[in-house]
Amino acid sequence: MMSAGELMDALRRDHTVADDTAVLASLQRNETGALDAAVNRYERLAYWTAYAIIGVHGDAEEVTADTFVLLWRKRRQVELRGTALAPWIVASARYLAQNRLRTIRRHPVAPIDAEQEGCETTSVELLAERAELSAAIRTAVAELSDVDRAIFTLCIEEGLSYDAAATSLGLAHGAVRNRLSRLRKQLRTSLASFQEDHQ
């Protein structure tokens, strides 16, 4: 069974032998579709590189997009390692993900105020409790294995089917279903103490 980290390593190995000379040349000539070709080839590798560091789907997606924006901006300075663009993609996604993680840790997201919530009567206590619950969920998810975090992201946050998640992660349908059932129980147990404290 392949973990998220192992999947990322496998993607990196597959792409390391690729010949991206033509793709990079097209980028440097500003040819239509050149960036799309790079994205189609390396989007998953960039995403899993970022996700392995951040562990949050939305942030990993933003880092992935930023990686290809950076590729476009620096296309004339990019140098291939051999004939592969993969090492540049991995190094850039890792650098951007580490920067984003530092930013998240320095500036945690504050709770949305009552007016933005669309409910002016929402109390400060309720907002604080929601923030605490969100923090408890993030903590519980952070304690999951790489594979379980990926399944949580794909099936619960993104709403993918078992089959779609299994295909994305290179796992069997049954493995995803069983792991998701187990991690739901694990999260319920982890959050039970929070609920008891706030009754």
Side-chain angles (χ1 to χ4, degrees), residues 47-177:
Y47 173 84
W48 284 110
T49 299
Y51 187 86
I53 293 168
I54 300 177
V56 177
H57 167 70
D59 289 311
E61 276 196 331
E62 287 188 29
V63 167
T64 300
D66 290 345
T67 299
F68 291 101
V69 170
L70 185 64
L71 173 62
W72 179 253
R73 289 177 179 165
K74 297 201 166 188
R75 64 193 180 280
R76 301 194 192 286
Q77 290 83 45
V78 171
E79 293 182 4
L80 299 178
R81 183 175 299 175
T83 60
L85 188 56
W88 188 94
I89 295 290
V90 168
S92 298
R94 183 181 294 130
Y95 171 79
L96 292 168
Q98 288 167 343
N99 280 350
R100 180 171 288 270
L101 189 59
R102 281 192 289 271
T103 300
I104 291 168
R105 287 174 176 165
R106 280 197 306 265
H107 308 289
V109 177
I112 299 172
D113 64 35
E115 188 174 347
Q116 289 174 319
E117 254 322 276
C119 179
E120 295 181 4
T121 60
T122 302
S123 69
V124 173
E125 291 81 6
L126 182 56
L127 289 172
E129 186 173 324
R130 287 178 184 170
E132 288 176 22
L133 178 58
S134 294
I137 292 171
R138 284 195 303 272
T139 299
V141 170
E143 292 172 355
L144 298 172
S145 69
D146 288 346
V147 174
D148 285 347
R149 273 200 312 273
I151 290 172
F152 177 89
T153 298
L154 295 175
C155 293
I156 296 178
E157 291 185 343
E158 293 186 40
L160 292 187
S161 66
Y162 294 142
D163 285 333
T167 300
S168 177
L169 294 171
L171 300 173
H173 173 281
V176 170
R177 185 186 64 244

